[in-house]
């Protein structure tokens, strides 16, 4: 992977810079594929769905709810589950 990467142009003396095989596959190919996949995901899901997914991450029980944030939970309840909670419950949830 540390070998010098050469494009198959037939003229290695015209290549500029020294790029290793690892750099070529990591940066040029890998990052291009990630960009394509992100574009695909962004086109399939609405902004509201993505926000729900991000806010729901606060409910992740890993490491004893280390990512638990009251403000995020409150925002999730207020925006997406407002019909499931009355005013008093939302107040107690905040505190």
């Amino acid at each position: 992977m540390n070998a010098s990467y050469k494009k198959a142009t037939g003229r290695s003396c015209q290549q500029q810079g020294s790029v290793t095989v690892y750099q070529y596959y990591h940066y040029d190919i890998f990052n291009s594929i990630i960009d394509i996949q992100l574009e695909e995901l962004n086109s399939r899901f609405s902004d509201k769905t993505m926000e729900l997914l991000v806010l729901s991450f606060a409910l992740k029980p890993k490491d004893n709810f280390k990512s638990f944030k009251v403000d995020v939970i409150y925002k999730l309840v207020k925006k997406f589950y407002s019909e499931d909670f009355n005013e008093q419950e939302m107040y107690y949830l905040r505190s």
Side-chain angles (χ1 to χ4, degrees), residues 20-93:
T20 65
V21 174
Y22 173 79
Q23 288 171 327
Y24 173 75
Y25 284 108
H26 183 265
Y27 296 107
D28 292 342
I29 304 293
F30 182 75
N31 288 342
S32 297
I33 297 299
I34 294 296
D35 288 341
I36 291 168
Q37 290 177 338
L38 282 173
E39 289 281 330
E40 181 72 22
L41 288 173
N42 287 336
S43 68
R44 289 183 184 233
F45 298 106
S46 68
D47 291 338
K48 194 170 185 177
T49 304
M50 291 304 295
E51 184 178 13
L52 176 62
L53 181 64
V54 169
L55 292 174
S56 296
F57 185 72
L59 300 171
K60 187 176 179 182
K62 189 176 180 180
D63 295 329
N64 295 324
F65 293 96
K66 193 174 189 176
S67 62
F68 184 84
K69 294 181 176 121
V70 175
D71 293 334
V72 175
I73 302 294
Y74 181 76
K75 185 176 179 183
L76 177 68
V77 167
K78 189 171 183 174
K79 190 161 190 173
F80 294 100
Y81 300 102
S82 59
E83 295 178 9
D84 297 332
F85 293 85
N86 62 32
E87 298 270 336
Q88 186 178 13
E89 290 172 329
M90 289 180 82
Y91 174 78
Y92 287 126
L93 177 67

